[in-house]
Amino acid sequence: MHITAAHLPAIVALIAGVLILIMPRLLNYIVAIYLIFVGLVGMGVLKWLHF
C-alpha cells in the first residue's frame, strides 16, 4: 500500500481519535491543530501536499 496525500486526513483523524480517547483534555488542542493544518493546506500555503 502506498501512502499518498489523499490518505493524510484519514491518518491524522485516526491518530487524533486515539489521542482523544487516551487523554480527553487534548481535545481542544488536537481540533485546533487539525483545523489550522487543513486551513493551511486549503489556502495552498503547504504546497508540497497536493489534495
Side-chain angles (χ1 to χ4, degrees), residues 8-24:
L8 195 59
I11 294 170
V12 172
L14 182 63
I15 293 170
V18 170
L19 287 175
I20 290 168
L21 283 174
I22 293 171
M23 301 177 67

Side-chain angles (χ1 to χ4, degrees), residues 2-47:
H2 298 284
I3 297 176
T4 63
H7 294 106
L8 195 59
I11 294 170
V12 172
L14 182 63
I15 293 170
V18 170
L19 287 175
I20 290 168
L21 283 174
I22 293 171
M23 301 177 67
R25 292 182 145 197
L26 288 178
L27 177 62
N28 292 336
Y29 297 109
I30 291 172
V31 170
I33 291 168
Y34 180 75
L35 290 174
I36 290 169
F37 177 76
V38 170
L40 290 173
V41 170
M43 290 183 347
V45 175
L46 300 177
K47 295 181 182 184

